[in-house]
């Protein structure tokens, strides 16, 4: 199974002609369990009238919110209002398409995801549901990044025009309010109808989404979303999203997880260095001492290799430690990783990934929220390796400066968990929210509380 390739968004492509959804096209479909509006009899006319009225209410509420008239609060659900506030501070209303992550990175993420095997097992059911209901179905990771999509003939074209494709980032700070983000954020099924979407380009959509969990550990892995046009809204849409989520969960092979729920099939070396120290080789956790972990970290961060002198200086600095001591540590480490460490220079000879490089890559792409989420804290806390201390300081400053330049409230709140006494970042965020002159962001009370605790009595 291959990923669909993303296409560039075409402005205005999402504008829907009423001819596309004439009564003659509204045939009943049920696969599995999804039905569209049926026929053109009295009930269908009543349903259409109700939907028109409901759409009108959402448009009025959205307009009142954008124009800050104050009438919107009684017209929309609290979770929609909170998401609108987050969206307004992060994306323009003119946003036409979701930002796209690197295609190769998205493919790698999909290959390594436990969702991939499960979706392959039930793919025919998902495709049939999409075609029969003229839906587009999407599967995301835990960051609301789409990993897999499939659409019926009409919705596929519309989905591509807004980058509802693998790699599309559909968190509400990237694409505004939508059901994928709400379901992922609240860990509960969610529906977003018409102008409840923050972006006008999605006001012709209705979306239902439900979270997908690992059946053994309960860990949330992402969401499954069903989307179509607003005039095809049906009461069982949300129930269908729940059914599909359950279908995927039941197809998930539990053998790919340890009992504690950590993925065990990542190829090569995977190093977690931020806030803690953990090394896994092909999914199996390695028990290394502190020095061996530091050596492995240095080699992972210098993929071209290091000479004996370079490694000694980076690891010990001015401490009087003999070269034979370092060679003995390297020898033990080489044995632990199955011999995949060459000499002259010392270099790892197997695939290796670190959370340090992951955070740096996110910062280079301007994905501040994702970078903060992935930043677990200091690099190997307590290390006395001069090179690792320097890299840790570099990364900490880079994350902080990115937040000062783009102080998104949710990201700042997350950062304040790691750096509770960094009051400047919190103050810059609060100043920015005051300057926008919009309704209070849901994170404001928590940010003020953090500031009060940090500043003390």
């Amino acid at each position: 199974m291959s990923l669909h390739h993303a296409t560039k968004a075409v402005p205005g492509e999402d504008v829907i002609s009423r001819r596309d959804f004439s009564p003659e096209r509204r045939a009943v479909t049920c696969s599995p369990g999804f039905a569209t509006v049926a026929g053109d009899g009295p009930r269908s006319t009543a349903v259409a009238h109700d939907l028109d009225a409901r759409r009108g209410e959402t448009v009025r509420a959205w307009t009142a919110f954008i124009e800050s008239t104050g009438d919107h609060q009684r017209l929309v659900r609290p979770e929609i209002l909170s998401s609108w506030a987050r969206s307004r501070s992060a994306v323009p209303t003119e946003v036409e398409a979701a930002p796209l992550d690197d295609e190769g990175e998205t493919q790698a993420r999909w290959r390594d995801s436990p969702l991939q095997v499960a979706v392959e097992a039930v793919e025919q059911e998902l495709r049939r549901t999409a075609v029969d209901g003229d839906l587009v179905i999407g599967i995301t990771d835990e960051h609301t990044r789409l990993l897999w999509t499939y659409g019926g003939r009409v919705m596929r074209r519309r989905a591509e025009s807004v980058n509802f494709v693998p790699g599309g980032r559909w968190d509400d700070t990237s694409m505004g309010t939508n059901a994928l983000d709400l379901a992922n954020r609240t860990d509960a099924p969610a529906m977003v109808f018409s102008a409840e979407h923050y972006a006008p380009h999605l006001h012709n959509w209705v979306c239902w989404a439900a979270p997908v969990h690992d059946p053994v550990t309960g860990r949330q892995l992402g969401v499954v979303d069903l989307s179509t046009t607003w005039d095809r809204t049906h009461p069982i849409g949300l129930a269908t999203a729940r059914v599909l989520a359950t279908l995927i969960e039941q197809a998930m092979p539990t053998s790919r997880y340890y009992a504690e729920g950590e993925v065990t099939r990542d190829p090569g070396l995977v190093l977690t260095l931020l806030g803690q120290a953990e090394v896994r080789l092909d999914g199996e956790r390695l028990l290394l001492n502190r020095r061996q972990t530091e050596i492995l970290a240095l080699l992972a961060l210098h993929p071209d290799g290091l000479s004996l002198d370079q490694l000694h200086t980076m690891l010990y600095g001015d401490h009087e430690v003999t070269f034979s001591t370092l060679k003995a540590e390297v020898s033990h480490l080489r044995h632990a990783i199955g011999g995949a460490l060459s000499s002259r220079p010392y270099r790892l000879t197997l695939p290796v990934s670190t959370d340090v490089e992951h955070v740096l890559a996110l910062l280079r792409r301007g994905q501040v929220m994702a970078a903060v989420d992935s930043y677990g804290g200091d690099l190997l806390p307590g290390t006395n390796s001069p090179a690792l201390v320097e890299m840790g300081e570099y990364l900490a400053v880079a994350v902080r400066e990115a937040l000062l330049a783009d102080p998104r409230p949710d990201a700042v709140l997350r950062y304040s968990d790691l750096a509770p006494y960094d009051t400047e970042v919190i103050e810059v965020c609060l100043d920015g929210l005051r300057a926008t002159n919009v309704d209070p962001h849901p994170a404001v009370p928590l940010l003020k509380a953090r500031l009060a605790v940090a500043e003390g009595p």
Side-chain angles (χ1 to χ4, degrees), residues 436-451:
T436 59
N437 195 28
V438 299
D439 291 334
H441 190 281
V444 166
L446 296 174
L447 290 170
K448 289 182 176 180
R450 289 281 191 193
L451 191 59

Side-chain angles (χ1 to χ4, degrees), residues 385-399:
S385 159
L388 292 177
V389 169
E390 182 178 332
M391 173 56 78
E393 292 176 350
Y394 171 81
L395 187 60
V397 170
V399 170

